[in-house]
Every structure is written in C-alpha cells, then in structure tokens.
Amino acid sequence: MDISSLISRYFHSSINDMEFQKWVSIALKAILDFLENHNGFKIHSDKLPSEISKKFISSKIPDKGQTIPIVLNETIENIIKNSVHVSHPAFIGHMTGASPHFLLICDLIISALNQNVVKIETALSATFVEMQTLCWLHRLIYEKSENFYKKILQSSQVAVGNCCSGGTIGNITALVAARNNAFPEIHRKGVYLSYKKARCDRAVVLVSERGHYSIKKACAVMGIGEENVISIPCHHFTNKINITELKKRIKNLTLNNVKIIAIIGIAASTETGNVDELSILARICKENKIWFHVDAAWGGAILLSKTYKNLLNGIKYADSVVVDGHKFMYLTMSQSAVLFKNKHSLNSIRQSAHYIIREGSVDLGKTSIEGSRRFDSFKLWFSFKVFGRDGYETLINNAIKNAFMLAQLASAHPSFELTSQPETSIVTYRFIPKELKMRMELAKKIHFLENKNFGNELKKFYFGKKSDFLRATKKINSALNIINTNLQKEQRKNGKSFVSRTTLQTIWKSQEIVVLRAVPFHPLTNKETLAEILREQEALGNKHFAKIRKRLMKEEAEAVRFFSDFLI
C-alpha cells in the first residue's frame, strides 16, 4: 500500500465518511453486546487460557495489512468474546469492576485528543485540568484553604502531587521523596556515598504484613532492597498493624543506627480492606521524625463519604498519600495519584531539559517519575463533575453496605466462617463443612488461650493431649485449604460468579489458611446476588469435602478422634 492510500484511508482530516461510521458502529455494537451481556456470556470464557493463547501464537509481524472489517471481526471473535466480564454484578473478586457508561465517552475523547501531559506543548488545557484534579484530591485529604490552592494553580515552582498510571508508581514516587528527605544528596550522589556520609550501613521502610507488594518493588527499584522492607505483625481478624510491635522495632533499629526512611500506613489493605490506626502512626512518625506515607490506593475514596470518612482519621498528617481512581472511584483503567502535604516535597526529584519541561514552565513532567502519559486525569475530573461528592458518597456507602451484608450472611451461615473484620468493601471468609464448623469454632477459642488455661480446656471438651490437638487442627486446616482452593477454582471455571482467594495468617499458630476474598462494590450487586454466590460455594465446598472425607479419617487418627462426633 502506497503512502497516498494510507493517508486517504487512515489519516485524512475528514473522518465523517460512511466507511468510518460503519467501523465505529460495528465496534460499538460489539462493545455494548459485551457490556450488556445479551447472550448470557459467562464471566469467564469457556475456552481455556491455553486454547485462547493459540490465537496469538505467531511471533511474526504481518507483512501485508488487512481491511478494518477483517481486523475488527478478529478482534470481536478472539479478544472481546474472550475477555473477562469485570462489570458483571457477580464478579466480586477484584478491585477492577463496574464503571459508569459515560467513561466510554471520556476514553474516546482522551484517545482522539491524544494529549501527552508530560509538557504543556502537547497538553494545553489538559495540563490545567490535571492540576485542578490534583488540587481537588489534595484538598479532600489535607483540607487546605481555597487561597492555598489558587496559589498552587498559578505557580510553576511547587506541586501538590502527580497523576500516575497506578498505585505502584505512586508508592515509588512517595518513597523516593521520603528517601531523598532522609538522605538529601542521594538523588545526585547515590546510595553508597549518602549512606557513608550519614554513617549508617542500612536504611529501611516499615509497613504492616498486609502491605502491598508494590512497597517491596519500590524499595528494590530504589536500591534500598526488598529485604529492608520490614514487615510488622498485624492483629488477627482486625488486620491492623500492631503498634506495640512497631514501637519495639523502631527502638531496636534506632539503637543499631539503622535509618528509617518511612513508616507506611495502610488505608485499606488490598487483601482484607482494613485500615491502620493512622492517627497513632502519624504521632509516632512525628515523635521520631520519620516520613509518614499512607497507601490509600483502595481506601482513599472513602474520604468522599461523610458516614465512613472517620475510618481514615489521621490521614491529613501524612507526608504523602496514594489514591487510585481506577479502584474505589469506579474509573476505567488506569488512573492514580500521589499527593504530598508539603508543596516542596517533589522538588527533590525535579528535572528539566532543553526541549521540554524547561525551568519556569508549568510542564507536569518536571516532578513525575513517568514521562509521557495519557490524559487519564480527565476521567476523574469528568466523574467528579457528573457525580459530585454526593453521588460518590452514595456509591461508596452502598458498596460498604454490600460488604457488611455479605459478612453477615457468611457469619450466620452454617457452612462459612468470617476470617477478617470488614471495614470497607472487602470481605474474607472461608467454607467449613457444617458438620465441622461448631467444633472448629470451639477449637479456635481454645487455640487462642494462654498456655496456663490450654490444658484445662482440652480436658473439659475431650480434645485429648495438646500435641494431638495441634496436629489435628493443623490437619483439618490443611484439608480446608485444599477444599477452599478447589472451590474457588471451580467457581471461576463455571463462570456464573467470581470471588478471588488469598492466604492469611490468623490465630491458628503457624497455620496459614486459604480464604475467599470478595469485593462487592458493584452498584448492581445486591443481597440476592451475594446469597446465590454463597449457595454455589456451599454446593462446591460440600462436593470437594466429600472427596477427601474418608482419606482424612484414614490418614490422621487424631483428626478422627478430634471430630469423632461428626466424622464416623
């Protein structure tokens, strides 16, 4: 195909012709059919990943181009029809989910304008939209005056934050600023010379064991090292950082001349949705002159709810905060932001060049780790304009109501056990066969006792010796782990509904348990949806329990004795 043909077909300034409209019509129909699910598609395709991968096995770029209708048809058959229905009300396993339909318009505008917000020369109005959106988020967190933000919007020398592609980049940006605050010359001179000047051999970041994996990734990228992310234990069931253990660790590290770069508060954890006691963490950081970062990628949106914003009390004292729009703010992928209390914090990573991001310009790339970026802040700007705080509050309150509803249904159900205390819109629970649940609940209470009372309780309820008891509970929990893993896999394969799973440390000493993890924040998810999901899980759980029931009795005599009332 010659250049004239390419221009006339795909680059002509006038695209309001019949052919282009036909392409758009075909694509839009396929998208709407997918979203509206008219044909009753399952959440996951019936095809296995291995089967789908064969459609994309060639490693050679096509020599000759094909017509748009042919490529569109291949897109519909091989890609759209084999995508995940994350917008389905019964898809409640991840933080990727329902988005308002008007975001299709936003994404179309973003792609058509193709603004690169690294510099104002490729993003004129987009630069100021992004700055305004950052100020909206900053004010939501830090509650500064209108006059403060007017000065920010008119200045090229300061910044309250960056928009970025996700929470990982946000956490990296925040921790780079924290590291530069701890070692003022490290950005220029590197780790070795900076550590040497500070007379320390080690620098660390402290976060609870529920911290997101991106924290380790950030520290690895920064040269601090994954092993210097120190995991602080959580309180079981509430999943909040253990403040006593944190204080002990700070004291020990300080005595050994280890530099603490930052303490990270979680609001809320991606596994369980729980929120650390941010006010207490803020006070500890202030007393010890340590940077306080809050990972609020999931929970930051809760500040929009008058009913639940108190869950995040203390967040306004954080030196930096990450919030993801593509999570609890219902945006399409991807949109995130990192905000800073001090408008000068980002100056430590400020860059300039001769051809872009020049000194004195308002180019947003001067203080961002990422270079070229889409105008994705437009989606959050547009959504704030459409929903307002009131609309967002309604969505968030409804999502949290769904979580408490699911927690109540699971807790009251004879075949399920709640494994975390719900706070936001994430719930963890697990299937336990009803013939075992009552005995396991009692065993859990005894397991939690101090050694002094342990033996007496075992005798009282005929549990046998302590060694037999611990071996039996471990065996039962291992069996339950297998059941819940297989249950979740089969539910996903069936495609009628979806929850994810994770592994948690709980009160069972040295026994991690597999739990089901639900994120029921879809506005169309309701009590009937949740009850139906539990019904399916119960049926699958009972089926898988039946498969191992006899083997469990045969392999572990103590387990049989332990559950002798039920397993014979």
Side-chain angles (χ1 to χ4, degrees):
M1 190 179 289
D2 59 31
I3 188 68
S4 298
S5 298
L6 285 171
I7 291 170
S8 63
R9 275 182 173 270
Y10 306 123
F11 291 91
H12 198 271
S13 58
S14 176
I15 57 174
N16 291 317
D17 54 63
M18 295 297 292
E19 189 176 17
F20 179 78
Q21 290 180 26
K22 184 179 178 182
W23 300 342
V24 172
S25 179
I26 292 169
L28 188 59
K29 183 180 183 305
I31 291 166
L32 293 178
D33 282 349
F34 177 82
L35 292 176
E36 293 173 9
N37 205 16
H38 285 313
N39 297 322
F41 296 125
K42 293 180 178 180
I43 286 173
H44 291 271
S45 171
D46 281 332
K47 295 177 182 175
L48 294 171
S50 57
E51 188 180 351
I52 296 170
S53 71
K54 290 175 183 175
K55 303 286 185 183
F56 307 96
I57 201 139
S58 175
S59 61
K60 184 181 178 184
I61 296 173
D63 290 322
K64 299 291 184 181
Q66 297 174 313
T67 64
I68 294 289
I70 289 173
V71 179
L72 265 177
N73 185 64
E74 185 179 348
T75 300
I76 293 166
E77 294 300 319
N78 294 343
I79 300 175
I80 294 178
K81 289 184 179 179
N82 291 321
S83 293
V84 181
H85 285 266
V86 297
S87 59
H88 195 290
F91 182 91
I92 61 167
H94 287 303
M95 296 167 169
T96 303
S99 296
H101 52 62
F102 61 72
L103 288 178
L104 291 173
I105 302 168
C106 292
D107 278 312
L108 178 62
I109 292 169
I110 291 166
S111 293
L113 296 179
N114 197 29
Q115 304 293 282
N116 181 357
V117 288
V118 71
K119 53 190 176 289
I120 198 167
E121 291 174 342
T122 55
L124 189 54
S125 60
T127 297
F128 302 106
V129 168
E130 186 152 308
M131 289 172 71
Q132 183 180 41
T133 306
L134 285 167
C135 284
W136 285 349
L137 290 172
H138 192 275
R139 188 167 184 173
L140 182 68
I141 295 164
Y142 293 107
E143 302 171 344
K144 301 287 186 181
S145 67
E146 179 70 19
N147 192 47
F148 173 87
Y149 296 104
K150 279 183 180 177
K151 289 179 181 177
I152 295 293
L153 289 166
Q154 294 169 3
S155 174
S156 62
Q157 302 304 310
V158 294
V160 294
N162 290 331
C163 285
C164 44
S165 59
T168 295
I169 295 294
N171 281 330
I172 291 173
T173 305
L175 290 176
V176 166
R179 182 201 64 180
N180 293 355
N181 180 69
F183 300 97
E185 295 183 337
I186 198 169
H187 209 76
R188 290 181 295 110
K189 295 191 175 181
V191 171
Y192 175 75
L193 290 177
S194 296
Y195 280 22
K196 187 177 179 182
K197 185 175 181 179
R199 295 181 181 178
C200 77
D201 298 321
R202 187 184 181 202
V204 299
V205 169
L206 276 58
V207 65
S208 88
E209 60 189 350
R210 294 286 175 264
H212 193 260
Y213 69 88
S214 64
I215 305 300
K216 285 189 175 180
K217 189 189 295 187
C219 289
V221 169
M222 288 158 51
I224 294 167
E226 285 187 2
E227 291 183 1
N228 289 313
V229 177
I230 296 179
S231 182
I232 308 297
C234 289
H235 293 290
H236 299 309
F237 197 63
T238 66
N239 296 290
K240 296 179 187 293
I241 192 169
N242 187 318
I243 298 296
T244 302
E245 290 298 320
L246 174 66
K247 288 180 177 178
K248 285 180 185 176
R249 191 58 67 95
I250 292 170
K251 185 177 180 180
N252 181 263
L253 291 167
T254 305
L255 287 172
N256 286 281
N257 200 31
V258 176
K259 186 74 171 177
I260 302 173
I261 290 173
I263 293 173
I264 301 174
I266 308 300
S269 75
T270 51
E271 280 188 302
T272 65
N274 295 114
V275 182
D276 284 334
E277 295 174 292
L278 303 180
S279 294
I280 296 175
L281 292 178
R283 187 167 66 249
I284 290 170
C285 288
K286 184 178 180 181
E287 289 169 356
N288 292 277
K289 297 180 180 178
I290 298 169
W291 185 283
F292 180 34
H293 174 58
V294 174
D295 184 350
W298 172 247
I302 295 169
L303 290 169
L304 293 162
S305 167
K306 297 184 188 76
T307 307
Y308 295 106
K309 68 178 183 179
N310 289 343
L311 286 172
L312 274 62
N313 278 349
I315 195 171
K316 68 180 180 180
Y317 303 117
D319 294 289
S320 53
V321 177
V322 165
V323 180
D324 279 1
H326 58 244
K327 288 189 171 77
F328 215 172
M329 289 184 179
Y330 295 87
L331 302 187
T332 54
M333 299 294 292
S334 59
Q335 197 283 324
S336 185
V338 55
L339 295 309
F340 293 86
K341 181 170 65 175
N342 188 325
K343 62 187 178 183
H344 299 291
S345 290
L346 279 169
N347 285 344
S348 70
I349 63 171
R350 186 177 287 268
Q351 296 284 337
S352 61
H354 292 302
Y355 71 105
I356 59 167
I357 57 175
R358 301 179 187 93
E359 282 296 333
S361 72
V362 293
D363 292 350
L364 297 172
K366 286 188 299 185
T367 57
S368 65
I369 287 177
E370 291 175 287
S372 299
R373 282 189 300 106
R374 268 169 54 100
F375 180 29
D376 282 315
S377 58
F378 175 64
K379 293 183 287 191
L380 186 54
W381 182 90
F382 199 99
S383 294
F384 274 143
K385 289 278 188 176
V386 172
F387 287 141
R389 287 190 67 151
D390 288 348
Y392 263 122
E393 180 175 25
T394 300
L395 286 169
I396 290 161
N397 288 354
N398 183 72
I400 294 175
K401 183 189 79 174
N402 275 348
F404 278 94
M405 189 187 302
L406 176 58
Q408 186 178 24
L409 289 171
S411 185
H413 199 288
S415 295
F416 291 96
E417 173 191 45
L418 198 63
T419 56
S420 295
Q421 180 175 296
E423 283 186 286
T424 57
S425 191
I426 300 178
V427 184
T428 70
Y429 59 103
R430 67 172 176 168
F431 170 81
I432 297 183
K434 58 186 176 183
E435 59 189 288
L436 305 183
K437 183 178 178 181
M438 191 180 298
R439 197 73 166 161
M440 281 296 281
E441 286 291 323
L442 180 58
K444 186 165 65 174
K445 289 175 183 176
I446 295 172
H447 195 89
F448 196 63
L449 292 172
E450 297 295 330
N451 288 337
K452 185 179 178 182
N453 300 316
F454 203 96
N456 292 334
E457 290 295 315
L458 290 177
K459 290 176 185 176
K460 181 179 174 183
F461 293 100
Y462 306 103
F463 279 105
K465 296 178 183 177
K466 182 178 177 180
S467 58
D468 291 344
F469 172 82
L470 293 175
R471 192 182 303 114
T473 54
K474 191 168 186 177
K475 186 68 180 180
I476 297 298
N477 277 323
S478 295
L480 291 174
N481 285 350
I482 295 168
I483 293 168
N484 279 275
T485 298
N486 291 335
L487 179 165
Q488 189 268 343
K489 286 181 177 179
E490 189 168 352
Q491 185 175 27
R492 178 188 179 278
K493 185 179 178 182
N494 289 345
K496 292 188 291 184
S497 58
F498 173 76
V499 300
S500 58
R501 73 176 191 271
T502 189
T503 304
L504 298 177
Q505 292 174 330
T506 60
I507 63 100
W508 299 103
K509 299 175 181 66
S510 304
Q511 297 181 40
E512 289 189 330
I513 63 169
V514 173
V515 300
L516 304 171
R517 174 179 168 273
V519 192
F521 74 118
H522 194 308
L524 294 179
T525 303
N526 54 34
K527 189 174 183 177
E528 288 70 30
T529 312
L530 301 173
E532 181 55 40
I533 288 171
L534 290 179
R535 276 194 291 273
E536 183 184 9
Q537 289 174 339
E538 182 186 27
L540 292 172
N542 284 330
K543 183 178 90 171
H544 287 288
F545 177 55
K547 289 179 181 178
I548 67 169
R549 194 171 184 272
K550 287 183 180 178
R551 188 168 72 246
L552 182 65
M553 292 169 65
K554 224 179 251 186
E555 289 178 359
E556 188 62 56
E558 286 83 3
V560 177
R561 288 202 297 271
F562 182 66
F563 291 101
S564 58
D565 294 344
F566 305 100
L567 289 174
I568 294 175

